[in-house]
Amino acid sequence: MGLTKSIQEQPLNEPQSWVKPLTRIPSSLKPLVATQKKHYGDVLHPTRWWGRMPFLFWLVALFVGFLERKRARLTPVMRALLMTRVSQVCHCAFCVDANSLRLAERCGALDKVLQVAAWQESTLFSEEERVALAYADAVTATPPRVDEALKAQMKLHFSEDAITEMTALIAFQNLSARFNAALDIPSQGLCDTFKGRPHA
C-alpha cells in the first residue's frame, strides 16, 4: 500500500530507475544542459545518470557530435533511421522516443517512424535503407552476425569509408541504448511533441 502510494505520488515525467538519478547536474555539464533545454525544452533523462561521470559524458557527446557533423558520410535521415532501429532492437524506451523524434523531424512526417519496427515488410524504405537496416540488425546482434551476402550488399551501396562510419554510428547507439535500457531510464514523451516540420 505504502509503496503503491509513493509511486503514484511521483510526477509522471520523473525517471524511474533502480539507480537513483542526480537531482543536481555538475556545473561542468552546463553547456550540454543548455543545448538540451534549447532543443527539447528540458534536461534529457540520461544526463541525470551520465552526470555521475561528467568527463566521460563529454567524450560521449563529442563522439555523437562527430557522427552528426555536417560533412558526415551518412545523410541525416539515414543516421536517424539506423539509430531508431538499434534503439528498438535494444529495447531502450528513451532512445526509441528520442530517435523517433529525430527521424520524424528529418523526414517531416511520422510515416517511416511507424514502419521501422517492421522494415522488412514495409515498402517505404529504399533499397539502400533496407540494406543499412539489415546491417544495423546484424551488428546489434550479440555476437554480430554480418554474413558474406550482407557484406556484398553493403559494398554495392556504400563506400568503405561510409561503411566504417555507419558501423561506428551503430556501435555508438548500442552503447547508448544498452546503458539506458540496463538502468531502466524511461522515455520522455519527446516524439509526442513532433509538429511535422522537417529539419536536419
Side-chain angles (χ1 to χ4, degrees), residues 14-15 17 19-27 29 43-54 57:
E14 183 174 330
S17 173
V19 174
K20 190 176 180 180
L22 296 177
T23 55
R24 297 184 64 182
I25 297 170
S27 59
L29 296 178
V43 179
L44 296 182
H45 286 343
T47 305
R48 298 190 182 278
W49 282 266
W50 280 108
R52 295 181 184 279
M53 305 169 289
F57 191 33

Side-chain angles (χ1 to χ4, degrees), residues 113-124:
V113 173
L114 298 174
Q115 293 294 310
V116 176
W119 67 265
Q120 294 95 333
E121 292 79 39
S122 176
T123 59
L124 283 180

Side-chain angles (χ1 to χ4, degrees), residues 22 26 43 57-58 75 77 104 107 115-116 123 128 139 159-160 162 164:
L22 296 177
V43 179
F57 191 33
W58 269 111
T75 67
V77 170
C107 291
Q115 293 294 310
V116 176
T123 59
E128 182 181 70
V139 174
S159 69
E160 292 190 339
T164 304

